[in-house]
Amino acid sequence: MSEERFGEFVLVRRHEDGHVAELALDRPKAMNAVSSGMARAIAGACAALGEDRDVRVVVLTSTHERAFCVGADLKERNSLSDAELLRQRPVSRAAYTGVLELPVPVIAAVHGYALGGGFELALSCDVIVADRTAVVGLPEVSVGVLPGGGGTQLLPRRVGAARAAELVFTARRVEAAEARELGLVDVLVDEGRDREEALAMAARIAGNSPVGVRAAKRALRLGQGLDLRAGLEVEDAAWRTVAFSGDRAEGVAAFNEKRKPQWPGE
């Protein structure tokens, strides 16, 4: 396993011959509160991972024992003038869009607190694995703002408009069992097993065709919210990008020859 640090607060580890990248939030003294510096590091790490064709899956984790991420660094925000806050906005936003726009599947491994921007980072992932200590929520309106890292758009796509409205307007925190019931998280595991289970899922995904998986993610994301006919056109366009690929030829050959595929990734 190799490691690379982005800024002071983000660590990237490579697993599975470099095919699984673990993006670890590593600001333990602040429970991973997202400062401007940390936001830049997340965006930088995502940009590097997105350009790396060896990476097939990303797992978003935390090095803190009791928190995934508690959201924006409100101490830093309190020190900013209005002009500084306006300049900081694109920096903050780039962290969330960096995760959201990764071209490969992204799995969040959540334990402890995932609140505000912390939960929005998880919502920007494709799958959320949480352990039984997880507490999630979007409490922004309780401090005079609104979820600005994608929460007002990503949450209703998961749980529907009315449920999202209730959660955003009340600012309430939701514990793990209810979060799983409501669809706020996808997989619920025993305490302390979120990272392990997320990495195991990532390894399974990484064993599949990287061309097929990337195309499937594009189709899932681009088709979301479209009517069925338009969505099927998105799917057809994605199919055409894989139908004549080296991965498709290798996958069919390996199936017929009853062997494990050796994906060319193109």
Side-chain angles (χ1 to χ4, degrees):
M1 182 172 66
S2 64
E3 294 187 353
E4 180 181 5
R5 187 165 287 278
F6 287 80
E8 187 178 353
F9 303 127
V10 171
L11 181 64
V12 171
R13 303 185 180 106
R14 304 296 183 104
H15 305 260
E16 303 292 330
D17 299 323
H19 295 322
V20 174
E22 181 183 0
L23 195 165
L25 307 177
D26 187 33
R27 194 187 178 201
K29 291 183 180 179
M31 299 180 82
N32 290 331
V34 182
S35 63
S36 296
M38 188 171 180
R40 290 189 186 93
I42 294 169
C46 288
L49 293 171
E51 293 172 0
D52 189 338
R53 297 296 296 187
D54 285 336
V55 174
R56 299 180 182 178
V57 193
V58 174
V59 179
L60 183 60
T61 66
S62 162
T63 63
H64 196 284
E65 292 182 357
R66 294 186 295 108
F68 175 74
C69 173
V70 294
D73 186 339
L74 295 184
K75 290 183 179 178
E76 179 190 68
R77 294 282 177 90
N78 192 50
S79 70
L80 299 179
S81 68
D82 288 352
E84 289 170 333
L85 181 61
L86 190 60
R87 287 196 296 271
Q88 195 266 353
R89 172 62 176 166
V91 174
S92 173
R93 191 174 179 187
Y96 302 100
T97 56
V99 176
L100 187 65
E101 293 177 1
L102 278 165
V104 297
V106 188
I107 304 167
V110 174
H111 58 267
Y113 297 112
L115 301 172
F119 188 39
E120 288 174 305
L121 284 172
L123 290 172
S124 298
C125 299
D126 299 291
V127 180
I128 302 174
V129 176
D131 82 358
R132 295 188 183 278
T133 69
V135 179
V136 305
L138 297 175
E140 284 89 345
V141 298
S142 69
V143 293
V145 291
L146 58 74
T152 66
Q153 305 305 304
L154 294 170
L155 188 59
R157 283 168 167 79
R158 270 186 162 266
V159 301
R163 178 65 70 193
E166 181 260 320
L167 292 167
V168 171
F169 297 160
T170 63
R172 72 183 179 95
R173 300 179 179 188
V174 182
E175 295 187 359
E178 185 186 4
R180 175 65 187 88
E181 181 181 340
L182 296 179
L184 301 176
V185 304
D186 303 302
V187 180
L188 186 60
V189 299
D190 291 337
E191 181 176 346
R193 291 183 57 85
D194 54 296
R195 176 176 178 267
E196 179 183 349
E197 293 292 338
L199 287 170
M201 183 185 296
R204 291 196 296 273
I205 294 170
N208 294 323
S209 159
V211 170
V213 170
R214 282 174 178 250
K217 175 165 178 171
R218 284 199 308 275
L220 286 163
R221 285 288 178 91
L222 293 175
Q224 199 169 59
L226 300 179
D227 65 48
L228 180 58
R229 181 171 294 181
L232 290 173
E233 291 302 318
V234 168
E235 181 181 84
D236 187 67
W239 177 86
R240 291 172 187 277
T241 67
V242 304
F244 310 105
S245 68
D247 272 16
R248 198 276 309 174
E250 168 61 11
V252 172
F255 177 83
N256 286 310
E257 295 165 15
K258 296 181 172 57
R259 60 175 175 81
K260 184 178 179 180
Q262 300 297 317
W263 305 114
E266 57 186 20

